[in-house]
Amino acid sequence: MTGPRVGPAPTGRDTTTDTDRGHVVGRTGRRFAAWRRGTEHDPRHDQRTAATLGVALGVCFTVCFLTGLYSHLAQHPAGWFTLPAGPGGLYRVTQGLHVATGIGAVPLLLAKLWSVYPKLLQWPAVTSVAHALERLSLLPLVGGALFMLFSGVANIDLWYPLPLFFPAGHYWVAWITIGALVVHIGAKAAITREVLLTRPAEVRRGIRPAEPVTAAGDRRAFLGWAAAGAGLLTVVTVGQTVGPLRSLGLLAPRHPDIGDGGFPVNNTAAEAHVTDAIVDPAWRLRVVGGAVPVALSLADLRALPQAEATLPIACVEGWSASRRWRGVRLADVLALAGAPAATAVTVRSLEQGLYGSAEVNAVQAAHPDTLLALEADGAVLSPDHGYPVRLIGPNRPGVMQTKWLATIEVHP
Ligand SMILES: Nc1nc2c(c(=O)[nH]1)N[C@H]1C(S)=C(S)[C@@H](COP(=O)(O)O)O[C@H]1N2
Ligand SMILES: [Mo]
């Protein structure tokens, strides 16, 4: 700010022409400079701190993106992807990781934004076309990341403040965010490598200056707090899916052992408006589209050979709970209907809503653990858990474990 005056005299508008390290600055520039003051030699705002947080965020976002993509494919099968039928608890792990890395990324992102805010306040805002592009790419990156973490956390807390359909919004913004992240990593890879790879030999030979001990300590403390924040948030929520940590699940929206019958309910029979239909004596489980139309009463289902499987309900919202299920194999009922051994089906609930039907691919339909469950842990299914019969299959997102079944449609 003490440089020589250049150009015309100040006009009092934003065209004032003091210089700031050789650049023309205006009122905004001076305000930004004031906000940046004191951060220049603060290790918490230097490239090394930003790069460290960047690497941690890059790992979290990559795991979160890949597990999210897997979850999306599980629910919206693409021609080239068949959801495998095992291991039975795979989705529980991938979705647990998805939610945990998303939650852990929240404090990391806040720390990163705080670390780099002096850079964001640089003035002039752009100095070249390349610089403009790099800065523009921050908009989808920061905006997208904030949106993804906010909408995800809101969703697992069953809070829908945004006027959009969560799965679609969360999915499409994920692509935008990851695209921007790839561009950002491309732009920052060299500097990140440069500042993170310490070369003691170069310091010894005097090529690089050694960092003051206090600076390294300040940085370590700041990064330590960010890591502790991420760790703490994870520990107090992951109990919703990791049994031994359930008593620590202070912030966990669901507890795996709390709910009707000792496990959570997602959508009660009353909420689904099926309380009467599920006890109607005229209820039958119908199989359509096979060689023989089939209509089974509850007594018919109980009279068929029963099978058991221990499988989790693994909700997309991150909670999971395992149960010992007992019922009729889907494959046995399909055989009764004269359907080919491995055939894809749609299961439909008495409930008409969005989650009232699900696809079962041929691999899962043929799997011996894919059950039309009548019991959980030795007790008849409760109304809220899907009485009289629900689907339960290995490695399926909870949302596809359809309750209150009415119809099974064999795909042509
Ligand atoms: N018909 C129907 N089935 C459904 C749902 C629903 O809303 N309607 N919710 C699904 C979701 S999101 C989950 S996580 C599981 C939860 O099963 P539970 O309530 O028995 O724990 O049921 C699934 N089956
Ligand atoms: Mo769910």
Side-chain angles (χ1 to χ4, degrees):
M1 305 293 271
T2 53
R5 276 184 184 282
V6 291
T11 60
R13 287 183 290 112
D14 255 14
T15 48
T16 322
T17 51
D18 285 351
T19 58
D20 180 18
R21 293 201 196 100
H23 289 305
V24 176
V25 296
R27 192 172 294 157
T28 317
R30 278 202 299 271
R31 193 175 305 139
F32 281 9
W35 284 336
R36 287 199 312 265
R37 194 160 302 137
T39 62
E40 293 90 342
H41 304 293
D42 187 332
R44 297 169 304 176
H45 295 290
D46 71 7
Q47 286 176 325
R48 195 176 172 110
T49 302
T52 309
L53 287 166
V55 169
L57 276 168
V59 171
C60 277
F61 270 65
T62 303
V63 173
C64 206
F65 177 70
L66 294 176
T67 49
L69 200 58
Y70 175 73
S71 179
H72 181 88
L73 283 170
Q75 294 169 67
H76 307 88
W80 52 270
F81 176 79
T82 305
L83 184 64
L90 177 61
Y91 186 79
R92 180 183 221 182
V93 174
T94 63
Q95 195 63 7
L97 272 175
H98 181 70
V99 171
T101 46
I103 287 175
V106 173
L108 296 179
L109 181 63
L110 295 178
K112 168 93 176 179
L113 289 175
W114 188 76
S115 172
V116 301
Y117 90 80
K119 284 206 77 185
L120 296 176
L121 296 181
Q122 258 173 15
W123 200 258
V126 295
T127 51
S128 66
V129 175
H131 186 220
L133 286 178
E134 194 231 301
R135 301 213 87 189
L136 265 180
S137 79
L138 292 178
L139 222 65
L141 180 65
V142 177
L146 288 171
F147 172 86
M148 291 308 289
L149 298 183
F150 177 77
S151 60
V153 170
N155 188 259
I156 62 175
D157 285 306
L158 309 178
W159 181 42
Y160 311 95
L162 303 171
L164 53 83
F165 179 49
F166 170 79
H170 198 69
Y171 176 70
W172 285 111
V173 177
W175 281 106
I176 296 171
T177 312
I178 280 296
L181 183 60
V182 169
V183 171
H184 188 70
I185 290 174
K188 299 291 184 186
I191 183 73
T192 302
R193 210 173 301 125
E194 168 87 17
V195 297
L196 287 189
L197 296 183
T198 36
R199 299 176 189 85
E202 291 184 4
V203 174
R204 248 180 281 124
R205 277 188 272 131
I207 300 171
R208 269 160 206 277
E211 190 175 41
V213 179
T214 50
D218 284 353
R219 182 185 306 106
R220 213 171 301 131
F222 174 65
L223 292 174
W225 279 111
L232 190 70
L233 270 189
T234 308
V235 165
V236 295
T237 46
V238 83
Q240 62 183 339
T241 187
V242 178
L245 291 179
R246 64 177 171 265
S247 54
L248 296 176
L250 297 172
L251 292 183
R254 309 283 190 136
H255 287 251
D257 50 355
I258 297 178
D260 176 38
F263 66 113
V265 169
N266 192 316
N267 209 8
T268 63
E271 284 163 349
H273 305 292
V274 295
T275 36
D276 295 333
I278 58 177
V279 291
D280 184 346
W283 175 86
R284 296 288 181 277
L285 178 66
R286 291 177 201 283
V287 187
V288 300
V292 210
V294 168
L296 300 164
S297 68
L298 186 51
D300 294 336
L301 283 168
R302 287 188 176 135
L304 287 169
Q306 305 289 299
E308 291 194 8
T310 301
L311 292 172
I313 303 258
C315 182
V316 296
E317 284 151 9
W319 64 267
S320 72
S322 188
R323 282 290 170 280
R324 183 102 189 126
W325 307 92
R326 186 179 161 82
V328 183
R329 290 197 169 113
L330 174 60
D332 289 354
V333 169
L334 292 177
L336 287 181
T343 185
V345 300
T346 303
V347 292
R348 288 193 193 284
S349 173
L350 289 166
E351 185 205 1
Q352 302 298 315
L354 196 55
Y355 304 116
S357 67
E359 304 299 310
V360 185
N361 67 37
V363 178
Q364 295 208 330
H367 197 281
D369 284 351
T370 303
L371 302 181
L372 301 167
L374 304 169
E375 293 178 14
D377 277 357
V380 171
L381 283 185
S382 70
D384 288 347
H385 285 306
Y387 178 89
V389 59
R390 79 176 299 161
L391 183 84
I392 192 85
N395 188 30
R396 288 174 68 77
V399 67
M400 293 166 73
Q401 310 280 30
T402 310
K403 304 193 276 192
W404 316 298
L405 291 183
T407 317
I408 298 170
E409 283 174 21
V410 176
H411 290 190

